[in-house]
Amino acid sequence: MRFFLAILCSLSCLATLFPTQSPSRLEEANTDFVELNFVVDETVLITTLVFAPNSARFHPAIVEFQKHMFDACKEECLLIAPLVEQKYFLPEWAALDYKDKEPYKKCFDKLVCEAKKTAQYPILLTQTKQRLAECRDQWRRNYETTFAFMKGITGIPFRHSFSIYIIHPGIPSGCNMTERRICWGGEEKKKNWTTVYLWHEILHSYLIDPTYLGHALIEIATDNELRHLINGRNDPEWGGHEECSEIKKLIASDWKAYIASPKKNIVEFYQELCKKYPAERYPDE
């Protein structure tokens, strides 16, 4: 159940080291890159629509869709709901991890089958695909500039491909789901919103400690520095997570020294910060 969006955003950094995956074309070329594969997984999309938060209620099609699905799949929804709660209120995470496992596979299969019978789902699917095209085009447009900048500012030898699961624009979401999987939803709130926050989620794959300090550092690198690069220094502040605001002030002078240093490694920099400042971990849910 996606009723706690603040928790969703703050828990987006609960990532672990990735298992080995088959190399992509770029990985085989032995060059630095970040490759994003934008996809609409219908099981993920339907599950997120069924368990959409109250904030999605201003989309009439989602409201009608949910009414039909709760009536047609009541037992299945009751079985899946604990998985959603177990996965930190992330329906997309539950869908990806359990859609091929029994007894849940039958539930997810029925959700998909029933969804395709509704009048609303084709509309919602089309809107999601349109959002995918917007995100993909914006990423490609900004990629060359932002990749060079992020490589320089972090010192990370980027050599990974990520799957970006796009969900309906009426469902705000941004989370790193481990195994090089990122879920992205919601509308384009600000200029280059998607580009900045996809880099934000990508960095959670390298600064994997679930700490407020690590999250604050990622916000400085992406929400501030990268945003200023592509939107200009006069771009109004985006805010960020409230729990990170004081930490960002605390490490501001350290960041300034880091930026001025000729050799940069943001992972090592984070480890040094942990020796100086409290690195409180996110509470277990």
Side-chain angles (χ1 to χ4, degrees):
M1 297 178 181
R2 187 192 289 267
F3 301 112
F4 303 99
L5 292 180
I7 295 176
L8 180 151
C9 293
S10 65
L11 285 170
S12 65
C13 65
L14 289 175
T16 56
L17 290 174
F18 304 136
T20 303
Q21 297 187 353
S22 300
S24 71
R25 173 182 54 81
L26 290 173
E27 287 172 311
E28 291 175 341
N30 196 33
T31 185
D32 292 346
F33 70 96
V34 168
E35 182 180 45
L36 302 190
N37 300 307
F38 293 86
V39 298
V40 173
D41 182 296
E42 292 197 67
T43 303
V44 171
L45 173 60
I46 290 165
T47 305
T48 57
L49 288 167
V50 169
F51 293 94
N54 291 333
S55 61
R57 302 274 173 167
F58 65 88
H59 285 269
I62 294 180
V63 175
E64 293 302 315
F65 176 79
Q66 286 183 330
K67 288 179 181 177
H68 174 91
M69 294 300 290
F70 286 140
D71 288 340
C73 304
K74 182 177 180 180
E75 292 184 4
E76 288 75 16
C77 290
L78 289 174
L79 185 61
I80 292 172
L83 296 180
V84 174
E85 295 178 4
Q86 176 183 322
K87 285 297 181 180
Y88 314 107
F89 306 100
L90 296 175
E92 58 272 25
W93 203 332
L96 284 174
D97 284 359
Y98 291 96
K99 67 178 183 177
D100 295 321
K101 297 178 182 178
E102 295 295 359
Y104 306 105
K105 184 179 185 302
K106 294 178 181 178
C107 295
F108 285 110
D109 286 347
K110 184 172 180 180
L111 287 184
V112 173
C113 181
E114 289 296 329
K116 292 182 177 181
K117 296 177 183 178
T118 68
Q120 298 80 30
Y121 181 65
I123 298 171
L124 298 169
L125 177 60
T126 297
Q127 292 170 340
T128 304
K129 289 181 177 179
Q130 290 172 342
R131 180 65 178 132
L132 180 149
E134 294 172 359
C135 295
R136 181 191 59 211
D137 293 347
Q138 183 188 127
W139 174 263
R140 290 177 177 175
R141 185 170 63 249
N142 292 327
Y143 174 73
E144 185 175 347
T145 298
T146 59
F147 176 77
F149 180 80
M150 292 304 296
K151 182 179 176 182
I153 204 174
T154 65
I156 293 174
F158 293 108
R159 290 188 179 182
H160 280 119
S161 298
F162 294 83
S163 293
I164 311 299
Y165 292 87
I166 301 296
I167 59 176
H168 190 269
I171 305 176
S173 178
C175 58
N176 186 314
M177 299 185 293
T178 77
E179 300 179 25
R180 304 184 212 160
R181 305 175 304 179
I182 292 171
C183 181
W184 185 244
E187 298 173 336
E188 199 71 13
K189 296 182 180 180
K190 306 283 186 179
K191 181 182 178 182
N192 291 313
W193 179 266
T194 292
T195 300
V196 170
Y197 279 115
L198 285 180
W199 273 112
H200 179 120
E201 297 305 332
I202 289 167
L203 280 196
H204 277 305
S205 297
Y206 297 89
L207 291 172
I208 64 173
D209 282 353
T211 66
Y212 294 112
L213 178 60
H215 205 159
L217 184 56
I218 289 173
E219 282 196 3
I220 292 174
T222 58
D223 306 20
N224 292 352
E225 299 288 354
L226 178 63
R227 176 175 60 84
H228 288 153
L229 172 76
I230 56 178
N231 286 359
R233 288 283 169 182
N234 293 326
D235 189 58
E237 293 298 317
W238 288 4
H241 293 86
E242 184 177 352
E243 65 271 17
C244 294
S245 59
E246 290 302 316
I247 303 176
K248 287 191 287 187
K249 295 176 184 177
L250 188 66
I251 66 175
S253 60
D254 298 273
W255 177 260
K256 186 176 181 179
Y258 170 77
I259 289 296
S261 63
K263 184 179 179 180
K264 297 178 180 61
N265 185 311
I266 200 169
V267 177
E268 292 179 359
F269 176 57
Y270 168 70
Q271 293 169 348
E272 291 299 317
L273 289 177
C274 288
K275 298 175 183 177
K276 296 178 61 177
Y277 306 108
E280 182 183 357
R281 299 175 72 85
Y282 286 106
D284 292 332
E285 294 295 326

